[in-house]
Amino acid sequence: MVGQAYLSAWKLPVSALPELPAGVRPIVVGGNGFVVTAWVDYQEGGVLSYREIMATVPVRDGLAASITHIWVDSPVSVAGGRALWNIPKDLAEFDMTHGSRFTASARTAEGPIAEAEYRVLGRFPFRLPASFSVIQAGPKKSPVRASGRLAPARAAWKIDPNGPLGYLDGRRPFASFALLDFRMRFGRA
């Protein structure tokens, strides 16, 4: 897969974290856990091209995360994510604009999920490699390898308080960044 990703990290009390699969435990520091949200635009040149928004919780199993909420605009991606990796994908409609500022919004038939605006603050001149795992119900553990140009960013989010990410409403991410021109392999070859 290839594309652009815009991420934000949030700190929440453990009691406010979304539910994780049985036996999967969040990383906790000082009574707080974390959520990482991402807007991803998978673009031409990869296996599929589609857009998504997701929320993940970093978990205790090496460098790993569990996807708790995810929406895409591709029925093929919904079917594959659920069947292959136990990822709870649902369908949504997206508006995304790339440029000096990245803007995005997502909504389901039931209503809005979130909106965000990212301003990239520069970028590193090299590609940064990363390897981690996604752990879903089962437990199903899938390796992920990626590389891209990491860029610090400022992000402003508007989250529907009555929507599925309402637990983040009224909070601000403590860090945001972009992973530009990424290449990613999800799962085993």
Side-chain angles (χ1 to χ4, degrees):
M1 308 292 282
V2 298
Q4 316 300 321
Y6 297 84
L7 300 98
S8 292
W10 313 70
K11 181 173 72 169
L12 287 82
V14 172
S15 61
L17 290 175
E19 186 177 346
L20 293 170
V24 177
R25 296 180 20 188
I27 292 173
V28 177
V29 177
N32 292 300
F34 304 91
V35 170
V36 177
T37 53
W39 299 90
V40 185
D41 187 359
Y42 295 103
Q43 299 171 327
E44 295 294 325
V47 174
L48 290 174
S49 56
Y50 62 94
R51 295 170 290 185
E52 76 183 10
I53 179 176
M54 71 175 133
T56 68
V57 175
V59 297
R60 294 170 52 174
D61 192 331
L63 188 55
S66 186
I67 300 170
T68 60
H69 298 85
I70 183 168
W71 297 267
V72 300
D73 62 1
S74 164
V76 171
S77 177
V78 169
R82 288 174 177 235
L84 298 172
W85 301 297
N86 292 341
I87 296 174
K89 291 186 177 187
D90 284 311
L91 287 173
E93 296 176 4
F94 292 84
D95 287 314
M96 288 186 180
T97 305
H98 297 276
S100 60
R101 293 178 187 255
F102 169 77
T103 61
S105 64
R107 66 177 298 111
T108 66
E110 289 78 37
I113 299 168
E115 301 175 15
E117 179 178 339
Y118 282 76
R119 186 168 51 97
V120 174
L121 304 173
R123 50 178 89 177
F124 296 109
F126 52 86
R127 294 186 70 79
L128 181 71
S131 295
F132 58 95
S133 295
V134 171
I135 301 175
Q136 297 303 118
K140 176 84 172 184
K141 186 174 183 178
S142 303
V144 179
R145 286 181 291 144
S147 70
R149 298 196 187 287
L150 189 64
R154 288 199 199 289
W157 282 73
K158 180 181 176 189
I159 295 172
D160 182 352
N162 301 312
L165 298 181
Y167 64 93
L168 294 174
D169 180 54
R171 302 179 189 275
R172 292 188 145 166
F174 68 85
S176 295
F177 54 95
L179 188 61
L180 304 171
D181 303 320
F182 72 77
R183 294 184 200 119
M184 181 175 67
R185 176 182 211 105
F186 193 99
R188 290 180 172 75

